[in-house]
Amino acid sequence: MMAKLRSEPGFADADAFYAKLVEAHRDLDDAASAKLNAKLVLLLANHIGDPETIDEALAAAARPV
Amino acid sequence: MGFVYPQYEFRQSPDSAAAKPVRHPVVVIGAGPVGLAAAIDLAQRGQKVVLLDDDTSVSHGSRGLCYAKRTLEIFDRLGCAAPIVEKGVTWQVGKVFHGPRQIYAFDLLPEGGHRFPAFVNLQQYWLEKFLVDRALALANLDLRFASKVAALEPHADHVALAIETPAGAYRIEADWVVACDGARSPTRKMLGLDFKGRVFEDRFLIADVRMQAEFPTERWFWFDPPFHAGGSTLLHKQPDDLWRIDFQLGANADPTAEKDPARVIPRVAAMLGPQVPFELEWVSVYTFQCRRLERLRHGRVLFAGDAAHQVSPFGARGANSGVQDADNLVWKLCAVLEARAPETLLDSYDAERGAAADENIGHSTRATDFITPKNAAAKLFRDAVLELAPHHAFARGLVNSGRLSQATHYADSTLSTPDTDVFAGGPAPGAPALDAPLANGWLLDRLKSGFTLLAFGAAPHALPDLPIAVATIAEADDPDGFAHRRYDAAPGTVYLVRPDQYVCCRLRRFDADAIRAAFSRACGKEM
């Protein structure tokens, strides 16, 4: 099913990335935090561009637990 | 069987009757795991050492729990790994759960050919007992129980100490003091030193529970489990049918009420199910800090372990990093005491172990932030990562229930000689030497107590006239090739290994001048 979306680790330093991500939200209220996430998704999706990859990511994110 | 607390005898030191304070080369304060390791190492290296402790027994309650492979290798060098491994519970697999589901498992030592396991779990009191047994067997280690340091005055060429005992007070002097007196370090307070860092507000409950249970010997960590909704829980097995359960309680928990067995027992019962009988052995409610001394060396006083730096328990980085501090410090202190190295070599202790403290605090802080998200956005990302983890390997890499202790690599150490030859693997300068199985025994056993040149193939000719032992590993010594692979070694490859088993230089071809220069550098003579 996942033909194009990478699932294996891609971060050089996963913990550093995660800390930076969380830090970006520090001191933001819920609305500002949600806005930051929305912009981040748009920026990264544009960077990826490929519609099949984005479709796969959308499906993976929406998958029920 | 459970543990019987030893009662060690206070004996009056002849120092107490001396007309003027007796001067000792080195005094270690605090007979916890770190102070004992430091004192044993000093004594094994031929120093006369005084070890002071204000108590007459070992640690109360199990406290420290997980000892990592590198720490076990150090204990082996100190002559006490065997009882620790034999008594301890060996493990290498961890499992992580989210809600009712397991989201993944990890194996900390997936490859064979290791003498010591990834981790051994052992109550701190057992560990201290084994270390005290070893310490008492060393003639030049003067372990003084019930001897509290009441005052400490630093001077240019010595430190003066006032000691209180059941038989009265006396004074001694020390050329050097190693302070291993724990997170509340009285030594640190007597010197008026700041202990800066971050305080975490979440409270945690430790329950050491005695029961016969069928859980495997693995580390199990739950995020938001059904039996403890909204919090996290950690389960570890200890010897003697004892289990460590650690519940996250949140910032608003009442520490006194939460310690009440009437509150603790239902929490544990909810986790274990109604059919499992258990009894509580030890309960503690704690918060924690991630903080450190700005410098580990203050003139002639050197701080090690929790006295120098404090981390959260997630990652087993407290006792492990403390013992590794001692390992780093002792050979340097001996070299200075024996005038084989300049005093400035001790500044490399601060540089190397200060970097290790920063690394440990960084890992510990990130794990804690993941386990106890500090705001709604952090909680959202945390839960998203946990939900993606079963299906996406990258997300499993982001789940952080504690990054478990590994030996620090001193990447920027001034004691190391950077590579000029090409190596595709193996321990780089600043990394610890790796063990490997050989035809007869283990590689680390070939290393001598001082500097060792590890030579693959044949011993080099024309060694420089330096106190460096040579350990040769021929291809016939390494039938399974573990050593050659782990060191990316070919015939002719040499590694210069420090007394603490860290690599300081490596070459594809032996070169006497290069080894001489690397040795000099590793002794702090070119800093």
Side-chain angles (χ1 to χ4, degrees):
Chain A
M1 192 183 81
M2 296 297 173
K4 302 194 80 176
L5 181 68
R6 279 184 64 180
S7 219
E8 67 275 18
F11 304 112
D13 182 342
D15 287 348
F17 154 74
Y18 191 82
K20 204 172 275 183
L21 182 63
V22 169
E23 179 61 26
H25 288 265
R26 201 162 66 135
D27 306 326
L28 299 186
D29 63 24
D30 289 356
S33 176
K35 180 80 70 67
L36 177 70
N37 279 337
K39 288 180 183 170
L40 196 58
V41 168
L42 294 170
L43 286 163
L44 295 176
N46 175 65
H47 182 82
I48 291 160
D50 177 56
E52 282 176 64
T53 309
I54 291 171
D55 285 352
E56 286 178 17
L58 272 169
R63 175 184 173 143
V65 181
Chain B
M1 279 309 295
F3 183 78
V4 179
Y5 282 86
Q7 275 303 316
Y8 300 114
E9 201 182 331
F10 164 72
R11 285 199 211 93
Q12 196 151 8
S13 167
D15 287 359
S16 62
K20 67 191 264 290
V22 175
R23 175 75 69 94
H24 295 275
V26 51
V27 170
V28 179
I29 304 175
V34 180
L36 282 160
I40 292 167
D41 202 1
L42 283 157
Q44 283 195 170
R45 292 184 185 281
Q47 291 298 327
K48 289 183 74 167
V49 51
V50 175
L51 173 57
L52 303 171
D53 195 79
D54 60 2
D55 198 7
T56 55
S57 191
V58 293
S59 146
H60 180 73
S62 56
R63 298 170 62 188
L65 177 62
C66 304
Y67 301 96
K69 183 169 184 290
R70 177 65 201 143
T71 305
L72 297 172
E73 289 166 356
I74 294 168
F75 287 146
D76 190 47
R77 196 170 60 67
L78 301 181
C80 43
I84 292 167
V85 174
E86 190 187 336
K87 180 71 196 175
V89 169
T90 288
W91 66 275
Q92 65 192 54
V93 170
K95 286 183 180 155
V96 179
F97 302 82
H98 180 213
R101 284 175 306 276
Q102 179 181 326
I103 54 174
Y104 73 101
F106 57 87
D107 186 340
L108 294 165
L109 203 59
E111 185 203 45
H114 292 279
R115 178 184 200 169
F116 289 106
F119 277 94
V120 157
N121 286 356
L122 185 66
Q123 298 90 318
Q124 186 167 335
Y125 45 70
W126 274 119
L127 175 76
E128 289 185 10
K129 183 193 177 298
F130 295 139
L131 291 169
V132 170
D133 288 347
R134 174 69 184 139
L136 293 175
L138 292 164
N140 49 344
L141 199 169
D142 180 358
L143 174 43
R144 301 182 188 175
F145 294 103
S147 300
K148 179 184 165 184
V149 177
L152 183 135
E153 289 160 21
H155 297 274
D157 66 340
H158 74 281
V159 180
L161 301 107
I163 299 170
E164 282 175 4
T165 75
Y170 62 95
R171 298 178 73 83
I172 56 172
E173 293 175 354
D175 291 342
W176 298 95
V177 166
V178 183
C180 311
D181 48 354
R184 294 189 181 87
S185 175
T187 305
R188 204 178 57 220
K189 285 179 191 144
M190 285 186 271
L191 293 182
L193 302 174
D194 279 344
F195 203 39
K196 284 186 191 153
R198 200 173 140 193
V199 177
F200 291 82
E201 291 176 351
D202 262 80
R203 292 186 194 278
F204 290 80
L205 168 73
I206 284 183
D208 273 354
V209 167
R210 194 176 298 282
M211 63 175 172
Q212 297 194 349
E214 298 301 316
F215 296 107
T217 47
E218 297 170 348
R219 176 190 196 263
W220 283 16
F221 194 99
W222 288 263
F223 292 99
D224 196 16
F227 55 80
H228 185 54
S232 65
T233 304
L234 175 62
L235 176 72
H236 266 296
K237 186 177 187 177
Q238 306 175 65
D240 308 326
D241 290 322
L242 203 62
W243 298 77
R244 161 72 53 88
I245 309 172
D246 193 315
F247 295 101
Q248 178 201 349
L249 298 177
N252 299 321
D254 173 344
T256 311
E258 291 293 349
K259 248 187 297 199
D260 184 349
R263 185 84 70 103
V264 177
I265 288 168
R267 275 194 197 286
V268 175
M271 174 180 177
L272 301 175
Q275 309 307 326
V276 181
F278 65 89
E279 55 185 279
L280 296 176
E281 167 159 312
W282 182 64
V283 173
S284 172
V285 173
Y286 67 94
T287 57
F288 50 78
Q289 287 100 38
C290 287
R291 52 185 178 168
R292 59 166 288 189
L293 281 173
E294 196 180 343
R295 285 179 294 126
L296 307 190
R297 178 184 174 197
H298 288 266
R300 292 182 165 267
V301 182
L302 299 135
F303 288 85
D306 283 358
H309 43 73
Q310 223 187 332
V311 293
S312 84
F314 302 105
R317 289 167 181 273
N320 284 299
S321 68
V323 171
Q324 289 163 25
D325 286 347
D327 183 50
N328 185 289
L329 172 60
V330 166
W331 71 271
K332 296 173 180 174
L333 190 50
C334 290
V336 170
L337 277 161
E338 293 161 16
R340 291 182 285 109
E343 253 183 59
T344 50
L345 178 61
L346 296 171
D347 293 328
S348 76
Y349 167 68
D350 173 63
E352 292 184 338
R353 294 310 299 173
D358 289 341
E359 181 178 302
N360 286 318
I361 287 171
H363 280 297
S364 181
T365 301
R366 286 172 183 182
T368 306
D369 282 342
F370 193 89
I371 293 164
T372 60
K374 297 295 174 291
N375 57 40
K379 175 85 166 45
L380 200 63
F381 280 118
R382 203 278 299 270
D383 291 344
V385 164
L386 292 172
E387 289 186 15
L388 290 171
H391 312 289
H392 301 276
F394 88 90
R396 296 196 275 282
L398 292 170
V399 175
N400 192 343
S401 72
R403 299 274 178 250
L404 287 150
S405 172
Q406 292 186 319
T408 301
H409 293 195
Y410 309 133
D412 304 319
S413 176
T414 54
L415 304 190
S416 294
T417 300
D419 282 339
T420 46
D421 294 343
V422 177
F423 284 83
L434 300 170
D435 205 2
L438 299 174
N440 295 302
W442 294 90
L443 186 147
L444 290 184
D445 284 347
R446 302 282 182 97
L447 302 177
K448 303 293 185 256
S449 66
F451 281 82
T452 304
L453 188 73
L454 194 57
F456 288 87
H461 299 293
L463 281 169
D465 181 25
L466 292 171
I468 300 175
V470 178
T472 308
I473 297 181
E475 279 180 272
D477 292 328
D478 188 22
D480 301 317
F482 277 111
H484 282 76
R485 276 199 302 283
R486 283 185 190 159
Y487 284 80
D488 185 27
T493 301
V494 292
Y495 278 74
L496 183 61
V497 183
R498 311 186 330 192
D500 58 357
Q501 302 185 337
Y502 268 71
V503 171
C504 58
C505 173
R506 58 181 178 172
L507 303 167
R508 284 294 179 195
R509 281 267 166 268
F510 175 77
D511 173 336
D513 289 339
I515 293 297
R516 186 178 288 113
F519 175 79
S520 183
R521 196 179 168 90
C523 293
K525 290 178 183 165
E526 288 185 357
M527 291 168 67

